Amino acid sequence: MNVRSMGGRLAAVLLGLGLVALIEAGLRLIPVLAPPAFAVQLARVQDQVLHAVNPAYARRFFSGVAADIPLQGIRMTPRPYFQPVPDDVLRVLFAGGSTVQGYPHPKRLSAPSYLQEMLRDLYPKRQVEVFNLGITAASSFVVGCAVEDGVAALAPDLVVVYTGHNEFYGVYGAASLAQGGQSLWMKRGHYALMQWRITRLIDKLLAAFRVKPSGQEALIEVMSRAGSVEADDPRREQAVANLEGNLRRMAAFCRERSIPLVICTLISNERGFAPARTEPPLGDEKRERYLTLLEVGGREQGAPAAVTALDAAEELWAEDAYLHFLRGSHLESLGTGSAARVAYAMARNLDSRPWRAPSAVNEVVRRIAVEEGTLLADVETAFIEQSPAAGVGWELMADHVHPTAAGQILIARSVITALEKRPSRWHFPSRRHQTLKSDNEYRRHLGDLPVERLAVLEAMASLFGAPPMDRGNEGRAMALRRQIGSLWEQLREAERSGFERWQTGRGPNILALSVAEELFAVQDYAHARDYYHAARLEEPYTIWGDLWSTLRWVRCGQLMGDPLGPAERIELTSLLDRLGFLAQAPDFSPGLLAFIKGYAHHFLGARVPALAALEQAVEDGNIRRRFFAELLQLLVAELMAAGRSADAEKYVVQVATEQNQEAFGRALVARIRAGQLSR
């Protein structure tokens, strides 16, 4: 090849690269092609700017990796926050996968939420904000990216990381779709390429022509298409190496910025969750013998004979995870807990579908904590200490890797224990255990509701009743169905109605709020108040989950005859402050703004602004229709207080007639004439 030919080819390559760069530069002017940002600005009031973690941020990791996953279900917790950061704020980032997100529980009952409450008890003079950066199916590579972007946006005082379960099937895991076995630098390159506008444009064009699946698959079904990962598969070593590299990267990143980092060991359900069944790689005769022995070993009766059969089967083939799981079950029934735990751990490590992190993952986490000088939250040890001798099972686990509500609290307590070995900037009270509340107190404060426990049971029954989790776990699915039936019978009729309305999409999309509205409608104000309280915590800085639920929470107390106390006054004043930001939302009408403002001022006894706002609200036809009874009662009370009884009657007659509620109107007019102020 002569020099002229080589020069021509080089010029063509450079021209092509230049053209790509030019197109990319042009496409960067189109906002819709930009990858979702970590945070979005919501509103500005004077010098304060309200931001929120962008719930769509998680989608950027699925681009070009698992295109057929229903991305509308891939979200992060949209935690609001203010910039500039107030001086008294203590910020914590808690990053990880779906366990950190709180699945299958509501967000407010996740480990980050419990950690926030515990830190508030330990630092009563600080405003504590714990940001939940949990991303469904996130491998440690994704978690590391989220930490870097989160630190840049939020400037936290502490970072907590719980990751490692998704190193195989998670996004950018060693066995995930289109990413199998790639090294870390290849993953970084692929991720960077997927953020280009050209790549995103091509992906959108292809998606338009892609045949969509007839039914909506669960995310776990989609990710399981990667197939088995046997004990000798090189992707096992790759997964552990990836985790180590990503943890070291996060440790270095935080160390350079003088931010303390806590990394957590992981916990798995060893006693309850059955590993995948694998066909034995044996000749016909040995295979038949092996399966016969395994069948004997699988019987629940006669445990000693079953263990003997399993020992004989192991001599034929020792790599079957299910064999060791059966042995663990029988050894546990025989009362030899320590031996059973060894067998269960072996089953987890040999599982050809490694949804649960093998033992090597926690070994890496512990070693990295020592070598990189990070703090270690030993979640695994905490769970083992709270479990039977045979190991961790359904007592603390909702499924294979996700803890129960009690388990989520235990994760948070493990982080608190790790912080006792804190840098000098942390100053815990000397009597920490006397400062923290009990588990039941934290659950009660955050609103641990029976209907949400029912929703968890329903989700778990669906998980274990469908591929790929159904095989070997049929007994668990049946047990869950029995628990669902028992809990359903214990619910009040209004709770059942609210649950069904939420489940069928006929009620509010917040389960707690859907049930609260039903309880309020039947005048069960005591229980409705509990549900409104939970809705407020579940969806802060939203119209219905926050503002409306706060007003109804106060209203329930009033209808029960309780005086307006300091706590209620603080919440109402805070609501009016938040209202200034939320009023800038595109779906917040002037009439709704006036109604909420008038409602809050009415409770606070601010007569002039309450009446002005309510008279503005009554001019809105949507408000008259949606809040007919409450609007008239509030307006009448304020008009009577202002000595305008004639105007009160006029409004009642007009609005009641318009809404075909003449009987209600006549009753209210009678009360006006009798001088009875409506509450």
Side-chain angles (χ1 to χ4, degrees):
M1 184 181 295
N2 58 41
V3 175
R4 179 176 297 178
S5 176
M6 290 179 62
R9 292 188 178 187
L10 178 60
V13 171
L14 293 175
L15 180 61
L17 292 175
L19 181 60
V20 169
L22 185 62
I23 295 173
E24 174 70 15
L27 292 176
R28 287 178 181 265
L29 300 176
I30 305 176
V32 71
L33 293 177
F38 177 84
V40 292
Q41 180 175 319
L42 300 180
R44 175 189 289 273
V45 175
Q46 298 178 344
D47 295 332
Q48 273 197 316
V49 182
L50 179 66
H51 297 262
V53 174
N54 185 4
Y57 168 78
R59 301 182 189 179
R60 64 192 296 155
F61 300 103
F62 288 81
S63 178
V65 179
D68 51 357
I69 289 178
L71 293 185
Q72 65 272 19
I74 308 299
R75 294 166 56 84
M76 286 179 66
T77 302
R79 170 67 185 259
Y81 64 95
F82 285 102
Q83 297 285 38
V85 185
D87 293 336
D88 65 338
V89 167
L90 176 64
R91 281 188 174 170
V92 178
L93 302 190
F94 203 139
S98 52
T99 296
V100 170
Q101 199 174 61
Y103 177 86
H105 311 285
K107 297 186 295 290
R108 71 180 187 283
L109 300 182
S110 64
S113 295
Y114 287 118
L115 178 63
Q116 178 172 274
E117 295 306 309
M118 292 175 190
L119 289 174
R120 284 175 175 173
D121 287 339
L122 292 169
Y123 297 95
K125 296 182 179 180
R126 302 289 296 273
Q127 181 181 337
V128 179
E129 299 175 345
V130 178
F131 289 80
N132 186 332
L133 304 191
I135 299 176
T136 302
S139 68
S140 58
F141 173 81
V142 173
V143 173
C145 294
V147 166
E148 292 175 4
D149 291 343
V151 167
L154 300 168
D157 301 284
L158 176 72
V159 173
V160 182
V161 170
Y162 182 99
T163 186
H165 279 308
N166 295 321
E167 295 311 291
F168 294 96
Y169 297 120
V171 178
Y172 286 92
S176 63
L177 310 180
Q179 296 296 316
Q182 291 185 3
S183 61
L184 284 178
W185 70 268
M186 293 180 68
K187 293 180 188 296
R188 293 182 189 125
H190 180 276
Y191 172 67
L193 181 62
M194 290 302 103
Q195 309 315 305
W196 284 20
R197 276 40 167 198
I198 292 178
T199 311
R200 298 180 67 82
L201 176 61
I202 293 172
D203 191 50
K204 287 180 181 292
L205 292 174
L206 291 175
F209 295 98
R210 189 179 296 123
V211 177
K212 295 179 173 59
S214 56
Q216 184 170 334
E217 290 181 285
L219 176 60
I220 196 167
E221 287 184 74
V222 177
M223 302 309 290
S224 70
R225 294 180 196 159
S228 299
V229 183
E230 304 295 340
D232 58 351
D233 193 310
R235 289 177 294 181
R236 290 199 172 240
E237 291 185 5
Q238 184 68 60
V240 175
N242 286 346
L243 176 65
E244 178 170 351
N246 289 318
L247 287 177
R248 290 193 186 278
R249 166 184 153 201
M250 286 183 263
F253 179 83
C254 291
R255 186 166 53 247
E256 290 168 2
R257 290 156 182 77
S258 300
I259 302 173
L261 171 65
V262 179
I263 58 176
C264 305
T265 55
L266 307 181
I267 193 61
S268 300
N269 184 348
E270 292 184 334
R271 289 173 39 244
F273 182 76
R277 302 288 296 273
T278 305
E279 285 296 318
L282 302 171
D284 291 343
E285 184 177 343
K286 286 188 175 181
R287 180 179 179 278
E288 184 176 351
R289 171 65 175 159
Y290 178 84
L291 292 177
T292 299
L293 290 169
L294 194 66
E295 183 182 357
V296 174
R299 295 172 187 161
E300 296 183 8
Q301 304 298 325
V307 173
T308 300
L310 293 173
D311 289 341
E314 186 177 9
E315 293 180 4
L316 296 173
W317 185 42
E319 302 301 310
D320 188 353
Y322 192 64
L323 179 151
H324 295 283
F325 178 76
L326 291 176
R327 175 187 281 119
S329 178
H330 290 304
L331 290 173
E332 182 180 0
S333 68
L334 290 169
T336 54
S338 57
R341 185 177 160 203
V342 171
Y344 284 132
M346 180 67 74
R348 172 168 58 95
N349 290 331
L350 291 174
D351 194 348
S352 61
R353 288 282 190 168
W355 301 106
R356 301 169 296 177
S359 300
V361 164
N362 278 341
E363 292 170 6
V364 165
V365 171
R366 289 189 170 93
R367 178 162 53 82
I368 294 298
V370 173
E371 295 175 359
E372 296 290 341
T374 74
L375 297 172
L376 177 69
D378 199 347
V379 175
E380 182 185 43
T381 297
F383 271 66
I384 290 172
E385 290 175 349
Q386 296 293 322
S387 299
V392 178
W394 297 119
E395 298 87 359
L396 292 171
M397 303 300 293
D399 59 15
H400 53 307
V401 295
H402 300 106
T404 61
Q408 289 282 352
I409 299 176
L410 193 51
I411 292 176
R413 289 193 185 278
S414 299
V415 175
I416 294 295
T417 300
L419 289 175
E420 289 182 315
K421 304 172 184 177
R422 58 202 176 277
S424 57
R425 72 173 68 182
W426 296 86
H427 302 285
F428 276 4
S430 58
R431 297 181 178 180
R432 174 178 64 86
H433 295 291
Q434 295 179 16
T435 303
L436 296 180
K437 299 182 179 70
S438 69
D439 287 6
N440 285 337
E441 288 176 304
Y442 282 122
R443 292 173 70 169
R444 186 164 52 250
H445 172 68
L446 291 177
D448 188 357
L449 306 173
V451 294
E452 290 175 329
R453 294 198 291 273
L454 179 67
V456 168
L457 293 175
E458 291 271 14
M460 294 300 94
S462 297
L463 177 71
F464 289 119
M469 295 294 181
D470 55 342
R471 192 176 182 193
N473 293 296
E474 296 85 356
R476 183 57 184 169
M478 289 188 290
L480 288 166
R481 288 298 173 192
R482 289 193 296 271
Q483 292 179 40
I484 289 168
S486 175
L487 183 53
W488 182 260
E489 291 299 320
Q490 298 173 36
L491 296 179
R492 297 170 181 83
E493 188 60 38
E495 289 175 311
R496 296 180 192 176
S497 176
F499 181 85
E500 289 175 335
R501 288 179 61 80
W502 168 79
Q503 197 172 43
T504 57
R506 294 180 291 118
N509 60 5
I510 306 170
L511 175 54
L513 179 56
S514 180
V515 176
E517 297 284 68
E518 294 295 312
L519 288 165
F520 188 91
V522 298
Q523 300 181 11
D524 186 350
Y525 301 123
H527 291 104
R529 184 175 167 89
D530 291 338
Y531 278 89
Y532 283 124
H533 171 70
R536 294 168 54 223
L537 299 178
E538 186 68 17
E539 295 289 344
Y541 280 87
T542 60
I543 297 172
W544 306 111
D546 183 349
L547 303 182
W548 179 246
S549 293
T550 298
L551 292 172
R552 275 284 174 89
W553 174 73
V554 176
R555 177 72 166 161
C556 286
Q558 184 188 57
L559 291 171
M560 290 189 295
D562 298 336
L564 192 71
E568 286 79 11
R569 289 188 175 278
I570 290 172
E571 291 299 333
L572 289 168
T573 303
S574 176
L575 178 148
L576 290 169
D577 290 339
R578 296 194 300 279
L579 193 57
F581 293 94
L582 289 173
Q584 300 177 39
D587 57 344
F588 209 151
S589 70
L592 181 59
L593 172 63
F595 178 61
I596 291 176
K597 185 182 295 185
Y599 210 149
H601 282 306
H602 168 77
F603 283 137
L604 291 169
R607 298 296 186 190
V608 174
L611 181 56
L614 291 169
E615 284 198 284
Q616 180 184 349
V618 81
E619 298 300 319
D620 188 315
N622 289 328
I623 302 301
R624 292 196 303 272
R625 181 173 58 256
R626 185 164 188 175
F627 305 104
F628 161 73
E630 244 161 329
L631 174 62
L632 280 184
Q633 289 171 5
L634 294 172
L635 182 57
V636 164
E638 293 301 334
L639 287 168
M640 294 290 287
R644 296 171 54 188
S645 57
D647 289 337
E649 284 193 34
K650 177 182 175 182
Y651 275 119
V652 170
V653 172
Q654 287 179 346
V655 177
T657 302
E658 177 193 68
Q659 301 300 320
N660 296 316
Q661 296 285 345
E662 288 85 352
F664 178 89
R666 288 193 295 271
L668 192 53
V669 167
R671 296 183 67 184
I672 293 172
R673 292 175 178 176
Q676 297 175 353
L677 297 181
S678 176
R679 285 206 272 182

